[in-house]
Amino acid sequence: LPVLMGYLYASEGKSSPVLYLGLFCSFLGDLLLTRSGELFFLLGMLAFIGTHLCNSWFFYRLQKGHPGKPRNLALAVIVLLLISGQIFYYLNDQLGTFRVPILVYMVIICTMAVMATQTLLNPAVQKIAVTCFIPGAALFVLSDGLLAINKFTWHNRWADIGVMLTYGLAQYCLVQGFTAYARSGTQQLQTD
């Protein structure tokens, strides 16, 4: 993540400070999740909530002023509800005291993913949305879904490889989108 932050900083154009805050929250979350114990897991989730809130704000600002079709928003919400609902249902009996924090986290990451899909409403960033923002958000949801399933049911060390691959690709896609947007010269909206 420090490398991705440096890459974003070195990109041409001005990047929103909220993006750096989001990446820093991810870095902090990574550090916290390397530690064992429930407290570190909860603090890591809290740090990643910060990431998703920062990304959601950025995506919201990109779609602002570009009214969309409620059908497109509904489709994104339905797909994410089905996926998240299945994961939550699968994990429900194993979550114990984590039930509420996991549910809150799922709502926030799904909100971020919906906001990423809604960047399609802005014609100036549609290509970036399709190639970077939406795949990045989808990979983030997949990575966190795998992480939760592995932590609470599978307990398989090999599954951690899938978690890290999808997580790394998610962060890479998102930062590629952020830099493409910064370089595009189409920044008609202030995203600060």
Side-chain angles (χ1 to χ4, degrees), residues 17-154:
V18 77
L19 298 177
Y20 293 103
L21 178 59
L23 289 169
F24 176 76
C25 286
S26 287
F27 180 62
L28 183 60
D30 287 344
L31 291 177
L32 290 165
L33 291 178
T34 61
R35 309 285 301 191
S36 60
E38 290 184 7
L39 178 62
F40 288 110
F41 183 75
L42 287 172
L43 291 173
M45 275 184 22
L46 189 59
F48 278 105
I49 284 174
T51 296
H52 301 316
L53 291 175
C54 289
N55 289 345
S56 294
W57 176 250
F58 179 78
F59 295 144
Y60 170 75
R61 299 288 295 172
L62 288 183
Q63 69 179 346
K64 193 174 175 187
H66 299 278
K69 299 175 182 173
R71 172 180 53 177
N72 295 341
L73 176 62
L75 179 62
V77 169
I78 289 169
V79 168
L80 285 162
L81 279 175
L82 288 173
I83 292 168
S84 297
Q86 287 298 315
I87 292 172
F88 191 77
Y89 178 77
Y90 178 71
L91 295 176
N92 192 34
D93 293 338
Q94 287 79 31
L95 292 177
T97 59
F98 286 101
R99 186 172 285 117
V100 172
I102 292 290
L103 186 58
V104 169
Y105 185 86
M106 290 175 101
V107 168
I108 292 171
I109 193 171
C110 286
T111 299
M112 181 275 298
V114 167
M115 298 308 266
T117 65
Q118 295 306 292
T119 59
L120 284 170
L121 303 176
N122 183 341
V125 295
Q126 282 181 343
K127 183 177 179 185
I128 299 169
V130 169
T131 59
C132 299
F133 295 148
I134 295 171
L139 285 164
F140 227 131
V141 170
L142 176 61
S143 174
D144 285 356
L146 286 172
L147 175 73
I149 291 169
N150 193 42
K151 176 172 179 55
F152 293 104
T153 60
W154 291 346

Side-chain angles (χ1 to χ4, degrees), residues 14-19 57-58 61-62 181 187 189-192:
K14 182 181 177 227
S15 295
S16 173
V18 77
L19 298 177
W57 176 250
F58 179 78
R61 299 288 295 172
L62 288 183
Y181 178 72
Q187 296 187 49
L189 300 173
Q190 287 295 327
T191 56
D192 297 328

